[in-house]
Amino acid sequence: MTDNAQQQPPAPTTELPTQYAPADVEGPLYERWVERGYFEADAASDKPPFTVVIPPPNVTGSLHLGHAFEHTLIDALTRRKRMQGHETLWQPGMDHAGIATQNVVERELAKEGKSRHDLGREAFVERVWQWKGESGGQISGQMRRLGDGVDWSRERFTMDEGLSQAVQTIFKRLYDDELIYRAERIINWCPRCLTAISDIEVEYQDDDGELVSMRYGEGDDSLVVATTRAETMLGDTAVAVHPEDERYRHLVGRSVRLPLTDRSIPVVADEHVDPEFGTGAVKVTPAHDPNDFEIGQRHGLPSLTVMDEHAVITAHGPFQGLDRLEARSAIVAALRAEGRIVAEKRPYVHSVGHCSRCKTTIEPRLSMQWWVKVGPLAKAAGDAVRDGRVRIHPQEMEKRYFDWVDNLHDWCISRQLWWGHRIPVWYGPDGEVVCVGPDEEAPTGEGWTQDTDVLDTWFSSGLWPFSTLGWPEQTESLAKFYPNSVLVTGYDILFFWVARMMMFGLYAMDGTPPFHTIALHGMVRDQFGKKMSKSFGNAVNPLDWMDEYGSDALRFTLARGANPGVDVPIGEDWVQGSRNFANKIWNATRFALMNGATVDGPLPAPAAMSPTDRWILSRLNSVVAEVDAYYDDYQFAKLSDALFHFAWDEVFDWYVELSKTTFQAGGEAAEVSKRVLGEVLDVTLRLLHPVVPFVTETLWTTLTGGESVVIAEWPADSGFRDTAAEQEIATLQSVITEVRRFRADQGLQPGQRVPARLTLAGTALARHEAAVRQLLRLTPEGEDFTATATLPVAGVEVALDLSGAIDVPAERKRLAKDLATAEKEKSQATAKLGNEAFLAKAPDHVVDKIRTRLAKAEEDIVRIQAQLDRLPSA
């Protein structure tokens, strides 16, 4: 907080620079918000809580468009709730990102010619902490650029002392409840990072490989199996066929000789085998394939590991010491020499898993790891959604959630890294195993060692909604802000992060789920709907767009594309359009201030207002109600669109323009409209603030003299509606719009003045004649006035004298030429659509295109003929 002098609100002023310069405004404004503590949440407050956690970005990361998108949505929610009077906590923090961070620091060491093993574990971890202090967390500064209203005083890190205690506590509890265990299973192994990795850290892509079919056994007792990983045959311990496959029934229970080895392996019958795929016989390598491992478990087969952690062959024989790819070629060559190769297909395109960090091909590997028994935890996570304690939005995403949690396999939580939460288990010299809680002393003495593995990053981030609030201590913050009100996150981590938070939250917090609502959004894509990627050349640094157009422009573009659960296309021209919107808000507010718009005192009584004033206030209240409903349904695109069209179309393009004649005339009516315009801008700026905070802060404080729109009251629907005024202005708009369209059709310049006679007497529009003439550039009729074109619109008549405005013969000639073109297009399209032979052969999309051409030609004919009819006679 700053001193009292700095705490005083800015003095009211009616002056604004002629142009809005985001770069001059955004940084100082944000720092002022933080200094004044606007984003700090008070656990002792009696206000109702509203809590959102930030999906913790990796400490190695930087702000990308996906972050900017998600943060914009969360910030909009929290800013509105703060204005509505809630004690609002947006919890910030970062994830230690085990593999990613370790890789970064190892690359830095490599530049020095060193590896982590040269330093040793303790020194290496110290080096990572040093890197984190110097280089990590640049995303925090970028969040400030975007305007994130987070409580920086509560910033957490998944490796800080409090969160480490939470990790150790829940590990101990799960272990004691027999929900954590150690077992040898097949895992995803990265031979480069030398660790198990989770499913989310595996990226699948189509690679060119080879499919080799090879014969096991001799003569009638032989079988042909196919594989893309011939090197794994050294670890085969069976061949499997389907129990009902007649081709191999005589071989089930017998053995066949495994080529290139001195072993014979059994033929087993297993329903996992698809008899229709390939030869119907599959090689079984339990130590190097997850499906084969399951077959091996069912049939009691041994598991032979034939590769080490570097994916180098360890099996005895001529292939020992070869890398897996070298061994693949050598083994195929050796099989070919023995006449065992039946078929080879190259290239064979198939989906291959790669490590998301280093892009190395993943190797399925049998390994001793730590696991979470997810059965009861996953059931609880599913039940919480089924019984309504947690709502998934949009609702159609529920099926994907249930498909995952209802079929969840046990979770491998150990990683063979040095950076992370070390597993709190000690092994004794006589085979003892002791799990140590945070308040317990680790065993000491000769022969006792701690497990060398660390926990999966998702283990600690799964505790995020409650560990950041002080759990396992029963803190004031935990009591106030748990459970979270809503989780805003991408559908892509519904399974990996959201499900884990659900499981841990329900387990640790006595059945209370970590959040009431899960609001899922899509992924940001380019304007063509393509995934953004550096390799595609379409990746965008959001900081570049913020530098060029301002943070508000980027935020508004992202929010306006945010339909629940749907991917968001974005292009630079859309950000430019949002920048134009910010400029429009600026210029309209500046005009209003220069013309005396005010927020002083109560609104005048409706009877003292003009229909234009009552119309805009009626529409304003409708928009307040509409925006509230969209916020409550997480419809960010719809609320942004509603605000855009109300502000630009109705306030700036209609109300401000219609009010100009009132301001010019002066008097009581002008004073009323100044107060109404001030009210409309005040409310509109507050409605816009959560999405575009910077420009609205500058304008609102200038307009109202208030301290900050951040802490202003959220607008409420007063209930005022005036359908008669809305209908009157709608009629006025239709008249002006139709005459403008006619002027454009006749080629008149926007500012070109034309004599006109308005027949408005006896209609509600009579009182708007001055505004109609000003907006349409219509001068009064003179003595020589000749009505060369008459437009009956909405019950009134507008007669125009175009004799001196356009070259009628030339215009008729141009329109006649356009009419002939349209009629020819119609004739050709009609002929094709009437040709049965053509319709029988033409593809559907061709026929549809011709139908579209016909409809367009018919519309053009009607439009052009109407223009000709309206022209004065030659």
Side-chain angles (χ1 to χ4, degrees), residues 509-547:
M509 298 301 293
D510 299 321
T512 301
F515 19 72
H516 297 302
T517 301
I518 302 168
L520 298 171
H521 59 72
M523 304 295 103
V524 178
R525 297 180 178 272
D526 70 13
Q527 64 265 43
F528 306 109
K530 190 175 182 180
K531 179 181 177 181
M532 284 191 171
S533 167
K534 290 181 181 178
S535 60
F536 295 155
N538 63 350
V540 173
N541 183 346
L543 293 175
D544 293 340
W545 281 352
M546 286 192 280
D547 288 342

Tab-separated table of all heavy atoms in Angstrom, residues 509-547:
chain	number	residue	atom	x	y	z
A	509	MET	N	-10.088	-33.418	1.534
A	509	MET	CA	-11.007	-32.454	2.153
A	509	MET	C	-12.336	-33.110	2.538
A	509	MET	O	-13.396	-32.493	2.434
A	509	MET	CB	-11.221	-31.272	1.205
A	509	MET	CG	-9.947	-30.499	0.891
A	509	MET	SD	-9.128	-29.794	2.348
A	509	MET	CE	-10.330	-28.588	2.838
A	510	ASP	N	-12.268	-34.358	2.952
A	510	ASP	CA	-13.435	-35.051	3.518
A	510	ASP	C	-14.653	-35.019	2.604
A	510	ASP	O	-15.781	-34.766	3.040
A	510	ASP	CB	-13.799	-34.443	4.882
A	510	ASP	CG	-12.662	-34.581	5.884
A	510	ASP	OD1	-12.003	-35.636	5.889
A	510	ASP	OD2	-12.432	-33.627	6.639
A	511	GLY	N	-14.424	-35.285	1.323
A	511	GLY	CA	-15.537	-35.401	0.383
A	511	GLY	C	-15.999	-34.092	-0.220
A	511	GLY	O	-16.960	-34.083	-1.006
A	512	THR	N	-15.335	-32.987	0.109
A	512	THR	CA	-15.688	-31.698	-0.490
A	512	THR	C	-14.877	-31.517	-1.768
A	512	THR	O	-13.645	-31.481	-1.722
A	512	THR	CB	-15.393	-30.526	0.467
A	512	THR	OG1	-16.134	-30.722	1.676
A	512	THR	CG2	-15.805	-29.208	-0.170
A	513	PRO	N	-15.542	-31.396	-2.914
A	513	PRO	CA	-14.790	-31.259	-4.173
A	513	PRO	C	-14.044	-29.934	-4.228
A	513	PRO	O	-14.390	-28.987	-3.506
A	513	PRO	CB	-15.887	-31.332	-5.246
A	513	PRO	CG	-17.145	-30.941	-4.542
A	513	PRO	CD	-17.001	-31.388	-3.120
A	514	PRO	N	-13.009	-29.852	-5.062
A	514	PRO	CA	-12.161	-28.653	-5.074
A	514	PRO	C	-12.798	-27.431	-5.724
A	514	PRO	O	-12.300	-26.321	-5.563
A	514	PRO	CB	-10.925	-29.099	-5.863
A	514	PRO	CG	-11.407	-30.231	-6.709
A	514	PRO	CD	-12.473	-30.922	-5.925
A	515	PHE	N	-13.881	-27.627	-6.479
A	515	PHE	CA	-14.547	-26.500	-7.131
A	515	PHE	C	-15.997	-26.860	-7.412
A	515	PHE	O	-16.349	-28.036	-7.497
A	515	PHE	CB	-13.841	-26.075	-8.418
A	515	PHE	CG	-12.938	-27.120	-8.996
A	515	PHE	CD1	-13.442	-28.256	-9.606
A	515	PHE	CD2	-11.560	-26.979	-8.918
A	515	PHE	CE1	-12.603	-29.237	-10.123
A	515	PHE	CE2	-10.713	-27.959	-9.429
A	515	PHE	CZ	-11.235	-29.081	-10.029
A	516	HIS	N	-16.822	-25.828	-7.548
A	516	HIS	CA	-18.241	-26.036	-7.829
A	516	HIS	C	-18.488	-26.265	-9.316
A	516	HIS	O	-19.375	-27.033	-9.690
A	516	HIS	CB	-19.055	-24.828	-7.363
A	516	HIS	CG	-19.002	-24.593	-5.892
A	516	HIS	ND1	-19.398	-25.540	-4.973
A	516	HIS	CD2	-18.576	-23.515	-5.166
A	516	HIS	CE1	-19.247	-25.054	-3.747
A	516	HIS	NE2	-18.739	-23.846	-3.831
A	517	THR	N	-17.715	-25.564	-10.151
A	517	THR	CA	-17.925	-25.619	-11.599
A	517	THR	C	-16.595	-25.787	-12.310
A	517	THR	O	-15.595	-25.173	-11.922
A	517	THR	CB	-18.612	-24.326	-12.098
A	517	THR	OG1	-19.869	-24.178	-11.439
A	517	THR	CG2	-18.842	-24.372	-13.610
A	518	ILE	N	-16.597	-26.620	-13.342
A	518	ILE	CA	-15.443	-26.761	-14.235
A	518	ILE	C	-15.856	-26.158	-15.572
A	518	ILE	O	-16.691	-26.726	-16.289
A	518	ILE	CB	-15.046	-28.233	-14.422
A	518	ILE	CG1	-14.714	-28.885	-13.076
A	518	ILE	CG2	-13.863	-28.353	-15.383
A	518	ILE	CD1	-14.604	-30.401	-13.155
A	519	ALA	N	-15.337	-24.977	-15.890
A	519	ALA	CA	-15.673	-24.287	-17.140
A	519	ALA	C	-14.556	-24.553	-18.148
A	519	ALA	O	-13.435	-24.055	-17.985
A	519	ALA	CB	-15.845	-22.794	-16.903
A	520	LEU	N	-14.876	-25.323	-19.153
A	520	LEU	CA	-13.865	-25.753	-20.126
A	520	LEU	C	-13.895	-24.876	-21.373
A	520	LEU	O	-14.961	-24.564	-21.908
A	520	LEU	CB	-14.104	-27.209	-20.511
A	520	LEU	CG	-13.992	-28.218	-19.361
A	520	LEU	CD1	-14.458	-29.592	-19.816
A	520	LEU	CD2	-12.562	-28.286	-18.838
A	521	HIS	N	-12.728	-24.495	-21.823
A	521	HIS	CA	-12.610	-23.729	-23.056
A	521	HIS	C	-11.776	-24.514	-24.056
A	521	HIS	O	-11.163	-25.530	-23.735
A	521	HIS	CB	-11.988	-22.357	-22.797
A	521	HIS	CG	-10.615	-22.406	-22.181
A	521	HIS	ND1	-9.493	-22.796	-22.886
A	521	HIS	CD2	-10.178	-22.125	-20.927
A	521	HIS	CE1	-8.435	-22.753	-22.103
A	521	HIS	NE2	-8.811	-22.350	-20.899
A	522	GLY	N	-11.764	-24.031	-25.300
A	522	GLY	CA	-11.016	-24.699	-26.354
A	522	GLY	C	-9.604	-24.149	-26.496
A	522	GLY	O	-9.102	-23.403	-25.656
A	523	MET	N	-8.967	-24.528	-27.590
A	523	MET	CA	-7.594	-24.124	-27.871
A	523	MET	C	-7.576	-22.939	-28.842
A	523	MET	O	-8.456	-22.817	-29.697
A	523	MET	CB	-6.813	-25.275	-28.504
A	523	MET	CG	-6.808	-26.560	-27.675
A	523	MET	SD	-5.951	-26.359	-26.097
A	523	MET	CE	-7.358	-26.214	-24.976
A	524	VAL	N	-6.577	-22.088	-28.703
A	524	VAL	CA	-6.408	-20.979	-29.632
A	524	VAL	C	-5.755	-21.495	-30.911
A	524	VAL	O	-4.748	-22.200	-30.863
A	524	VAL	CB	-5.548	-19.856	-29.009
A	524	VAL	CG1	-5.342	-18.733	-30.013
A	524	VAL	CG2	-6.217	-19.322	-27.750
A	525	ARG	N	-6.346	-21.140	-32.041
A	525	ARG	CA	-5.806	-21.537	-33.347
A	525	ARG	C	-5.658	-20.307	-34.229
A	525	ARG	O	-6.130	-19.218	-33.881
A	525	ARG	CB	-6.726	-22.571	-34.013
A	525	ARG	CG	-6.825	-23.870	-33.206
A	525	ARG	CD	-7.731	-24.888	-33.880
A	525	ARG	NE	-7.782	-26.141	-33.136
A	525	ARG	CZ	-6.947	-27.152	-33.300
A	525	ARG	NH1	-5.987	-27.059	-34.211
A	525	ARG	NH2	-7.047	-28.247	-32.574
A	526	ASP	N	-4.997	-20.477	-35.385
A	526	ASP	CA	-4.861	-19.327	-36.272
A	526	ASP	C	-6.185	-19.053	-36.975
A	526	ASP	O	-7.174	-19.773	-36.784
A	526	ASP	CB	-3.696	-19.498	-37.253
A	526	ASP	CG	-3.946	-20.568	-38.313
A	526	ASP	OD1	-5.093	-21.023	-38.477
A	526	ASP	OD2	-2.980	-20.941	-39.002
A	527	GLN	N	-6.216	-18.002	-37.797
A	527	GLN	CA	-7.483	-17.576	-38.388
A	527	GLN	C	-8.069	-18.601	-39.348
A	527	GLN	O	-9.255	-18.518	-39.704
A	527	GLN	CB	-7.329	-16.231	-39.112
A	527	GLN	CG	-6.391	-16.253	-40.330
A	527	GLN	CD	-4.994	-15.833	-39.974
A	527	GLN	OE1	-4.457	-16.254	-38.946
A	527	GLN	NE2	-4.400	-14.990	-40.799
A	528	PHE	N	-7.253	-19.596	-39.737
A	528	PHE	CA	-7.744	-20.652	-40.626
A	528	PHE	C	-8.127	-21.913	-39.858
A	528	PHE	O	-8.430	-22.944	-40.452
A	528	PHE	CB	-6.681	-20.981	-41.672
A	528	PHE	CG	-6.206	-19.780	-42.449
A	528	PHE	CD1	-4.923	-19.276	-42.238
A	528	PHE	CD2	-7.044	-19.130	-43.346
A	528	PHE	CE1	-4.484	-18.162	-42.926
A	528	PHE	CE2	-6.607	-18.011	-44.033
A	528	PHE	CZ	-5.327	-17.526	-43.825
A	529	GLY	N	-8.076	-21.836	-38.524
A	529	GLY	CA	-8.442	-22.980	-37.697
A	529	GLY	C	-7.325	-23.978	-37.512
A	529	GLY	O	-7.546	-25.074	-36.989
A	530	LYS	N	-6.100	-23.613	-37.902
A	530	LYS	CA	-4.973	-24.528	-37.798
A	530	LYS	C	-4.265	-24.349	-36.467
A	530	LYS	O	-4.149	-23.237	-35.947
A	530	LYS	CB	-3.988	-24.269	-38.941
A	530	LYS	CG	-2.881	-25.312	-39.081
A	530	LYS	CD	-2.033	-25.024	-40.322
A	530	LYS	CE	-0.947	-26.072	-40.522
A	530	LYS	NZ	-0.129	-25.797	-41.727
A	531	LYS	N	-3.787	-25.463	-35.898
A	531	LYS	CA	-3.056	-25.414	-34.640
A	531	LYS	C	-1.839	-24.505	-34.781
A	531	LYS	O	-1.135	-24.541	-35.784
A	531	LYS	CB	-2.604	-26.817	-34.234
A	531	LYS	CG	-1.812	-26.860	-32.939
A	531	LYS	CD	-1.374	-28.281	-32.615
A	531	LYS	CE	-0.514	-28.311	-31.357
A	531	LYS	NZ	-0.058	-29.688	-31.027
A	532	MET	N	-1.605	-23.675	-33.770
A	532	MET	CA	-0.451	-22.784	-33.805
A	532	MET	C	0.793	-23.546	-33.369
A	532	MET	O	0.783	-24.223	-32.346
A	532	MET	CB	-0.670	-21.579	-32.904
A	532	MET	CG	-1.615	-20.549	-33.480
A	532	MET	SD	-1.595	-19.013	-32.547
A	532	MET	CE	-2.589	-17.969	-33.635
A	533	SER	N	1.853	-23.398	-34.144
A	533	SER	CA	3.093	-24.115	-33.853
A	533	SER	C	4.250	-23.393	-34.531
A	533	SER	O	4.103	-22.851	-35.629
A	533	SER	CB	3.000	-25.552	-34.369
A	533	SER	OG	4.258	-26.182	-34.373
A	534	LYS	N	5.398	-23.396	-33.871
A	534	LYS	CA	6.587	-22.808	-34.483
A	534	LYS	C	6.937	-23.533	-35.772
A	534	LYS	O	7.375	-22.923	-36.755
A	534	LYS	CB	7.759	-22.867	-33.508
A	534	LYS	CG	7.623	-21.928	-32.314
A	534	LYS	CD	8.839	-22.017	-31.405
A	534	LYS	CE	8.696	-21.092	-30.207
A	534	LYS	NZ	9.866	-21.202	-29.295
A	535	SER	N	6.728	-24.857	-35.768
A	535	SER	CA	7.068	-25.634	-36.963
A	535	SER	C	6.152	-25.292	-38.128
A	535	SER	O	6.543	-25.417	-39.285
A	535	SER	CB	6.986	-27.136	-36.656
A	535	SER	OG	5.678	-27.501	-36.255
A	536	PHE	N	4.921	-24.861	-37.837
A	536	PHE	CA	3.987	-24.459	-38.896
A	536	PHE	C	4.234	-23.018	-39.342
A	536	PHE	O	3.688	-22.580	-40.352
A	536	PHE	CB	2.539	-24.581	-38.428
A	536	PHE	CG	2.093	-25.992	-38.137
A	536	PHE	CD1	1.046	-26.232	-37.256
A	536	PHE	CD2	2.717	-27.074	-38.738
A	536	PHE	CE1	0.633	-27.528	-36.976
A	536	PHE	CE2	2.314	-28.370	-38.467
A	536	PHE	CZ	1.278	-28.603	-37.587
A	537	GLY	N	5.020	-22.283	-38.576
A	537	GLY	CA	5.289	-20.889	-38.919
A	537	GLY	C	4.136	-19.951	-38.606
A	537	GLY	O	4.106	-18.823	-39.104
A	538	ASN	N	3.178	-20.405	-37.796
A	538	ASN	CA	2.020	-19.549	-37.500
A	538	ASN	C	1.898	-19.214	-36.013
A	538	ASN	O	0.871	-18.711	-35.565
A	538	ASN	CB	0.730	-20.216	-37.980
A	538	ASN	CG	0.442	-21.535	-37.269
A	538	ASN	OD1	1.288	-22.056	-36.545
A	538	ASN	ND2	-0.736	-22.083	-37.478
A	539	ALA	N	2.942	-19.540	-35.237
A	539	ALA	CA	2.914	-19.223	-33.805
A	539	ALA	C	3.034	-17.713	-33.615
A	539	ALA	O	3.738	-17.035	-34.367
A	539	ALA	CB	4.041	-19.949	-33.076
A	540	VAL	N	2.346	-17.204	-32.624
A	540	VAL	CA	2.318	-15.762	-32.365
A	540	VAL	C	2.764	-15.507	-30.932
A	540	VAL	O	2.311	-16.181	-30.004
A	540	VAL	CB	0.902	-15.196	-32.576
A	540	VAL	CG1	0.839	-13.741	-32.153
A	540	VAL	CG2	0.473	-15.346	-34.035
A	541	ASN	N	3.644	-14.552	-30.766
A	541	ASN	CA	4.004	-14.083	-29.431
A	541	ASN	C	2.993	-13.010	-29.049
A	541	ASN	O	2.957	-11.942	-29.660
A	541	ASN	CB	5.418	-13.507	-29.426
A	541	ASN	CG	5.871	-13.069	-28.049
A	541	ASN	OD1	5.060	-12.950	-27.129
A	541	ASN	ND2	7.158	-12.809	-27.904
A	542	PRO	N	2.173	-13.265	-28.036
A	542	PRO	CA	1.136	-12.276	-27.695
A	542	PRO	C	1.708	-10.932	-27.293
A	542	PRO	O	1.037	-9.905	-27.442
A	542	PRO	CB	0.387	-12.935	-26.535
A	542	PRO	CG	1.330	-13.942	-25.978
A	542	PRO	CD	2.150	-14.428	-27.136
A	543	LEU	N	2.952	-10.921	-26.790
A	543	LEU	CA	3.559	-9.652	-26.417
A	543	LEU	C	3.721	-8.735	-27.625
A	543	LEU	O	3.617	-7.512	-27.505
A	543	LEU	CB	4.923	-9.892	-25.760
A	543	LEU	CG	4.899	-10.602	-24.397
A	543	LEU	CD1	6.315	-10.871	-23.921
A	543	LEU	CD2	4.131	-9.791	-23.374
A	544	ASP	N	3.942	-9.327	-28.792
A	544	ASP	CA	4.081	-8.520	-30.009
A	544	ASP	C	2.772	-7.798	-30.316
A	544	ASP	O	2.764	-6.610	-30.668
A	544	ASP	CB	4.481	-9.399	-31.197
A	544	ASP	CG	5.877	-9.973	-31.057
A	544	ASP	OD1	6.672	-9.411	-30.274
A	544	ASP	OD2	6.177	-10.985	-31.717
A	545	TRP	N	1.658	-8.518	-30.184
A	545	TRP	CA	0.350	-7.903	-30.452
A	545	TRP	C	-0.006	-6.892	-29.374
A	545	TRP	O	-0.615	-5.856	-29.662
A	545	TRP	CB	-0.725	-8.981	-30.567
A	545	TRP	CG	-0.718	-9.667	-31.906
A	545	TRP	CD1	0.017	-9.318	-33.004
A	545	TRP	CD2	-1.488	-10.800	-32.298
A	545	TRP	NE1	-0.238	-10.173	-34.051
A	545	TRP	CE2	-1.159	-11.094	-33.643
A	545	TRP	CE3	-2.414	-11.608	-31.643
A	545	TRP	CZ2	-1.742	-12.148	-34.344
A	545	TRP	CZ3	-2.991	-12.660	-32.347
A	545	TRP	CH2	-2.661	-12.930	-33.679
A	546	MET	N	0.385	-7.168	-28.131
A	546	MET	CA	0.118	-6.195	-27.071
A	546	MET	C	0.943	-4.926	-27.285
A	546	MET	O	0.468	-3.814	-27.042
A	546	MET	CB	0.397	-6.812	-25.707
A	546	MET	CG	-0.662	-7.817	-25.267
A	546	MET	SD	-0.532	-8.306	-23.523
A	546	MET	CE	0.790	-9.500	-23.609
A	547	ASP	N	2.192	-5.095	-27.741
A	547	ASP	CA	3.027	-3.930	-28.041
A	547	ASP	C	2.421	-3.099	-29.165
A	547	ASP	O	2.433	-1.867	-29.122
A	547	ASP	CB	4.437	-4.375	-28.447
A	547	ASP	CG	5.242	-4.915	-27.273
A	547	ASP	OD1	4.866	-4.637	-26.122
A	547	ASP	OD2	6.231	-5.627	-27.521
